[in-house]
């Protein structure tokens, strides 16, 4: 399986340059600044090593993880995991600062998933994830929201 996260990572400077305050979503109610903060919070959740509650029944986790590792995208109406609601994060005052924080946390996630052979994260729907699964999660998440805002066609 190719590492789609790695492929996307190398496109980030070009993609980030397309993000500006004039972008409007093709679906959903987030504004562009909120979307950047949301993606950064996702990195922070994965980097936290917190043992979040997994809401998916244990017997369903394998099928959820197969979906995660597949080429199928997240649906347009996918609900935001509850972990986002209670997780303490820093919000940036400007879109430019939010973009910088996004890139910084993305680099941090890339480095830790490459260097820590015991890396793990918890996603309430997908369960306990290793580095490869976490990278795939963020590939899908970034692609979902960048498509939402027309940054990726």
């Amino acid at each position: 399986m190719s590492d789609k996260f790695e492929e996307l990572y190398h496109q980030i400077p070009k993609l980030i340059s397309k993000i500006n305050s004039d972008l409007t979503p093709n679906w959903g109610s987030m504004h562009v600044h909120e979307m950047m903060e949301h993606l950064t919070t996702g990195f922070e959740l994965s980097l936290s090593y917190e043992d979040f509650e997994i809401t998916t029944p244990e017997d369903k986790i394998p099928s959820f993880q197969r979906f995660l590792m597949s080429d199928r995208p997240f649906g347009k109406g996918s609900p935001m995991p509850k972990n986002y609601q209670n997780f303490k994060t820093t919000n940036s005052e400007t879109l430019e600062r939010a973009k910088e924080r996004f890139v910084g946390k993305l680099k941090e996630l890339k480095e830790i998933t490459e260097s820590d052979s015991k890396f793990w994260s918890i996603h309430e729907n997908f369960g306990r994830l290793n580095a490869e699964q976490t990278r795939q999660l963020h590939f899908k998440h970034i692609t979902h929201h960048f498509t939402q805002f027309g940054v990726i066609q």
Side-chain angles (χ1 to χ4, degrees), residues 38 79-85 123-125:
H38 170 77
M80 188 183 309
K82 293 177 192 144
N83 297 342
Y84 277 83
Q85 296 168 8
H123 188 280
E124 73 178 59
N125 298 323

Side-chain angles (χ1 to χ4, degrees), residues 14-29:
K14 179 181 165 190
L15 295 172
I16 284 287
S17 72
K18 296 179 179 181
I19 295 174
N20 63 66
S21 59
D22 294 331
L23 293 180
T24 57
N26 294 316
W27 71 82
S29 60

Side-chain angles (χ1 to χ4, degrees), residues 28-62:
S29 60
M30 279 189 192
H31 54 75
V32 70
H33 188 160
E34 188 177 14
M35 179 267 294
M36 292 305 303
E37 297 289 357
H38 170 77
L39 289 171
T40 303
T41 299
F43 300 143
E44 292 172 334
L45 285 162
S46 290
L47 292 164
S48 73
Y49 288 99
E50 286 193 38
D51 201 7
F52 297 110
E53 177 186 3
I54 299 169
T55 58
T56 302
E58 191 173 334
D59 64 324
K60 302 281 187 209
I61 293 291

Side-chain angles (χ1 to χ4, degrees), residues 3-146:
D3 187 345
K4 293 180 180 143
F5 175 89
E6 187 72 24
E7 293 170 19
L8 180 63
Y9 180 83
H10 292 293
Q11 296 174 26
I12 290 296
K14 179 181 165 190
L15 295 172
I16 284 287
S17 72
K18 296 179 179 181
I19 295 174
N20 63 66
S21 59
D22 294 331
L23 293 180
T24 57
N26 294 316
W27 71 82
S29 60
M30 279 189 192
H31 54 75
V32 70
H33 188 160
E34 188 177 14
M35 179 267 294
M36 292 305 303
E37 297 289 357
H38 170 77
L39 289 171
T40 303
T41 299
F43 300 143
E44 292 172 334
L45 285 162
S46 290
L47 292 164
S48 73
Y49 288 99
E50 286 193 38
D51 201 7
F52 297 110
E53 177 186 3
I54 299 169
T55 58
T56 302
E58 191 173 334
D59 64 324
K60 302 281 187 209
I61 293 291
S63 64
F64 274 64
Q65 289 185 354
R66 278 192 299 278
F67 164 77
L68 177 64
M69 299 308 288
S70 77
D71 289 334
R72 293 189 326 238
F74 290 150
K76 292 180 181 178
S78 299
M80 188 183 309
K82 293 177 192 144
N83 297 342
Y84 277 83
Q85 296 168 8
N86 300 321
F87 190 74
K88 299 290 184 215
T89 189
T90 303
N91 288 320
S92 305
E93 291 184 20
T94 66
L95 177 57
E96 287 307 310
R97 180 65 186 121
K99 289 164 54 172
E100 291 169 7
R101 283 188 61 245
F102 167 87
V103 170
K105 290 296 178 180
L106 174 66
K107 286 180 181 178
E108 188 178 341
L109 182 79
K110 180 183 184 319
E111 289 168 5
I112 195 79
T113 56
E114 290 174 345
S115 64
D116 182 358
S117 63
K118 295 181 180 173
F119 177 87
W120 61 271
S121 66
I122 299 286
H123 188 280
E124 73 178 59
N125 298 323
F126 298 110
R128 186 178 175 101
L129 305 176
N130 63 26
E132 179 185 15
Q133 293 165 320
T134 301
R135 289 164 70 97
Q136 177 70 2
L137 169 68
H138 289 286
F139 162 77
K140 281 191 172 197
H141 194 211
I142 294 166
T143 301
H144 172 79
H145 287 296
F146 280 17

